[in-house]
Amino acid sequence: MSREPPVGLSTRRLIQLAVLLAVTAAIFLLGPLAYPNRPFFFTTMIFMLLAYGINLIYGMTGYLPFGYSVFYGLGAYGVYIGLRLGMGEALSFLFAVAITLGLAVVLLPLFRLRSHYFAIATLAALMGVYYLVDSSLLAHWTGAGEGASLAPIYDPTLTYYITLALLLAFVAVTAAIKFSRYGLGLRAIRGSVITAALDGVNVPRLRGIAWVLSALMAALAGAMNGWYVTFFYPDTVFSVSFNVYVIAYAIFGGAGTLTGPLIGTLVLNVIYNFINVSVYSNYLPLVFGAILIALILLMPNGLVDLLNRRAKARLP
């Protein structure tokens, strides 16, 4: 069998994408009918949105942002601030996206740092924005420690279906990037920034676009989650531990793959919720952390790689 070229959406890849989209839609449309716990399915979708964002910037370029939830939190608070400014619902969501993308552009110089310094610098940015939002000086606009409420626009059914539509769009966009010349350039950057630059890859431009797109994905996830839960605090949406879960989900599924964020999030979120409702719930961080370490040690390239090698699954 001839080897498939790395660039281009061939018929087989289009069929794989169509099947993946259909299965994803079926899980979240029919799942709540079999297991009537819509918040679980909604939370799983939010984690998947974020896992795709991490997958784009880390899985495809190799840059790991420990402070990634700064975009997620800003997405949620952007909607709240927009409403406080007297904007309508639609404009508030656009405002949330705009300020998040603005921050992503401001943070672009962080890519001049080496990978581990980059990770720490994004964490510093997260803490800086967290303290700013939590500050009493901005309490009139952010609610500060008293929290933010989106109750006036509460509509869980509409939020659920829009989030599902976004998830399907993220899957399609990831496929388009992964099998494009742009995606090939990103993978070259992941291999070696210096070699990619010597081969003619415009590293700053390609990496910057991936960063901004990744921030957009997190902003939309934050806005959708804020809309769904309607009430949140700075320490819940700018949480460092939240980052750890999202990064673990993406890496466990398979960083840089198309199906990894879906499979990794689904499997680990089911395990997480099972432990959370079991007799071991008091030991949730310890038990779940141990499971994560064991899984990542046993499957360093992720679940998709394992299935492709052992079961000949050929998952993209």
Side-chain angles (χ1 to χ4, degrees):
M1 181 181 293
S2 60
R3 190 178 178 84
E4 206 166 9
V7 173
L9 283 171
S10 62
T11 302
R12 189 179 72 83
R13 286 171 176 163
L14 285 173
I15 292 173
Q16 285 181 325
L17 176 60
V19 171
L20 187 61
L21 292 174
V23 170
T24 304
I27 289 173
F28 293 103
L29 290 175
L30 302 178
L33 301 178
Y35 178 55
N37 185 351
R38 182 176 279 188
F40 164 75
F41 287 98
F42 179 80
T43 304
T44 303
M45 284 195 291
I46 292 296
F47 274 118
M48 286 178 174
L49 295 179
L50 290 166
Y52 270 106
I54 283 288
N55 192 46
L56 179 56
I57 190 62
Y58 170 67
M60 295 195 186
T61 71
Y63 286 85
L64 182 59
F66 277 158
Y68 185 63
S69 64
V70 66
F71 301 129
Y72 172 79
L74 213 50
Y77 266 94
V79 177
Y80 176 72
I81 295 170
L83 291 174
R84 294 284 294 174
L85 290 171
M87 300 178 183
E89 295 177 26
L91 275 180
S92 295
F93 279 90
L94 290 176
F95 177 74
V97 169
I99 61 174
T100 305
L101 296 187
L103 178 66
V105 171
V106 168
L107 296 179
L108 277 175
L110 296 184
F111 282 103
R112 294 175 182 173
L113 303 172
R114 290 179 182 271
S115 59
H116 46 295
Y117 293 112
F118 169 82
I120 295 170
T122 60
L123 187 59
L126 166 65
M127 298 311 297
V129 174
Y130 162 71
Y131 285 118
L132 191 64
V133 172
D134 197 37
S135 167
S136 58
L137 296 174
L138 298 178
H140 178 70
W141 306 109
T142 65
E146 295 183 359
S149 172
L150 299 182
I153 60 172
Y154 178 61
D155 190 338
T157 301
L158 181 61
T159 313
Y160 187 89
Y161 291 117
I162 290 180
T163 303
L164 175 56
L166 285 174
L167 177 58
L168 298 177
F170 283 18
V171 175
V173 167
T174 301
I177 291 175
K178 180 176 173 61
F179 300 119
S180 67
R181 293 186 63 81
Y182 172 66
L184 191 62
L186 293 181
R187 292 196 293 278
I189 293 172
R190 174 172 180 156
S192 169
V193 173
I194 295 174
T195 304
L198 291 174
D199 286 342
V201 175
N202 189 333
V203 173
R205 186 165 68 90
L206 267 61
R207 192 174 52 191
I209 292 172
W211 176 243
V212 171
L213 281 176
S214 178
L216 172 63
M217 291 176 170
L220 292 173
M224 289 299 110
N225 191 57
W227 189 15
Y228 190 83
V229 301
T230 71
F231 195 83
F232 46 88
Y233 293 94
D235 57 354
T236 57
V237 295
F238 292 104
S239 167
V240 175
S241 60
F242 196 77
N243 278 321
V244 175
Y245 287 120
V246 173
I247 291 169
Y249 290 178
I251 292 177
F252 170 68
T257 65
L258 178 60
T259 51
L262 286 175
I263 297 175
T265 303
L266 189 62
V267 171
L268 288 184
N269 207 36
V270 167
I271 294 174
Y272 179 91
N273 281 274
F274 174 77
I275 298 172
N276 198 29
V277 299
S278 72
V279 295
Y280 303 106
S281 60
N282 290 336
Y283 306 100
L284 177 62
L286 178 63
V287 175
F288 193 66
I291 290 174
L292 281 180
I293 291 171
L295 289 175
I296 291 174
L297 285 176
L298 293 172
M299 296 181 292
N301 294 321
L303 189 57
V304 169
D305 176 72
L306 182 70
L307 292 173
N308 285 341
R309 284 189 294 106
R310 297 294 178 86
K312 309 295 183 187
R314 300 186 68 186
L315 294 171

